[in-house]
Amino acid sequence: MMFSIRDAQVSDIPGITQIYNDAVLNTTAIWNDSIVDDSNRIKWLDERLKAGFPVIVAGDNQESVIGYGSFGDWRAWDGYRHTVEHSVYVRSDQRRKGVGKALMLALLDRARACGKHVMVAGVTSENTASIRLHEDLGFKVVGNLPEVGTKFGRWLDLMFLQFTLNKKDATR
Ligand SMILES: CC(C)(COP(=O)(O)OP(=O)(O)OC[C@H]1O[C@@H](n2cnc3c(N)ncnc32)[C@H](O)[C@@H]1OP(=O)(O)O)[C@@H](O)C(=O)NCCC(=O)NCCS
């Protein structure tokens, strides 16, 4: 399948909203219960870009959004400024075609270009697809927090995986 990775624009928002809401309703990838509207995602895009973080999309030949990814601060305190946490979502009818991997490789490049040192993935422990995707890229499992979340009437465990982007020193 032909697709390309590019920076998200406001015109991509309906596609992003649809993918986000599908993950809310049908998966434990997002620990939210409520769907959102386009204005919610426009605000999110705006906040990410203003903070200097990328939002990227995978677009097919027709320019439809078939996946998206982004990263932002992992934790709010100054000492965490070299670490980011990302998210990646692929439209349900386009999975297992290499889109998630392509988005992840682009996010790793963008995080390096931003001068970041570590990228963290917080993944529901039952999300085998995401864990495999991350491990294939070289992410290492660094922790598992049992029963820290709930959705669909059951407890969820949160697994953290991390990727060290470079050997930069900690002087800045
Ligand atoms: C996780 C997700 C982003 C993967 O995207 P994708 O485009 O389907 O993944 P790719 O086709 O690039 O797969 C790359 C590798 O990941 C692993 N993988 C992907 N889906 C998998 C699955 N269902 N089961 C096992 N391994 C899987 C495989 O190792 C795969 O390589 P292979 O196809 O050569 O075997 C996608 O399933 C998704 O959007 N899921 C719902 C949202 C979500 O869970 N997001 C992550 C939140 S942390």
Side-chain angles (χ1 to χ4, degrees):
M1 190 196 30
M2 294 289 289
F3 63 90
S4 58
I5 308 287
R6 55 179 173 74
D7 284 295
Q9 298 163 8
V10 173
S11 57
D12 296 317
I13 287 295
I16 290 174
T17 305
Q18 191 234 312
I19 292 169
Y20 178 95
N21 284 338
D22 179 64
V24 168
L25 293 172
N26 299 308
T27 77
T28 54
I30 299 176
W31 294 6
N32 278 335
D33 302 317
S34 306
I35 59 170
V36 299
D37 58 14
D38 288 344
S39 64
N40 173 288
R41 291 298 83 188
I42 288 172
K43 187 165 174 280
W44 169 77
L45 174 66
D46 201 42
E47 285 168 1
R48 280 283 155 109
L49 299 185
K50 277 197 182 121
F53 294 121
V55 176
I56 57 172
V57 296
D60 65 11
N61 287 341
Q62 286 75 45
E63 291 301 304
S64 300
V65 176
I66 56 171
Y68 72 93
S70 182
F71 57 76
D73 286 325
W74 180 49
R75 305 191 81 192
W77 294 276
D78 292 343
Y80 295 105
R81 66 188 174 279
H82 300 297
T83 301
V84 288
E85 179 168 2
H86 67 282
S87 51
V88 60
Y89 298 94
V90 175
R91 210 169 74 194
S92 58
D93 62 343
Q94 299 294 334
R95 290 184 190 150
R96 218 63 202 265
K97 297 178 180 178
V99 177
K101 185 175 181 180
L103 284 164
M104 279 305 308
L105 288 171
L107 288 176
L108 290 167
D109 280 351
R110 298 292 288 264
R112 282 190 199 94
C114 288
K116 299 301 177 184
H117 181 50
V118 169
M119 186 176 261
V120 172
V123 184
T124 317
S125 63
E126 66 189 20
N127 192 346
T128 313
S130 182
I131 292 166
R132 283 284 304 279
L133 168 68
H134 285 92
E135 286 187 328
D136 278 7
L137 288 164
F139 279 74
K140 302 285 181 224
V141 175
V142 289
N144 187 52
L145 282 60
E147 300 189 358
V148 292
T150 178
K151 192 171 180 181
F152 303 141
R154 63 178 187 275
W155 293 119
L156 299 175
D157 300 352
L158 182 66
M159 189 174 275
F160 280 117
L161 298 94
Q162 84 166 66
F163 188 97
T164 304
L165 295 157
N166 49 39
K167 292 187 190 304
K168 75 187 270 185
D169 65 43
T171 52
R172 284 186 293 130

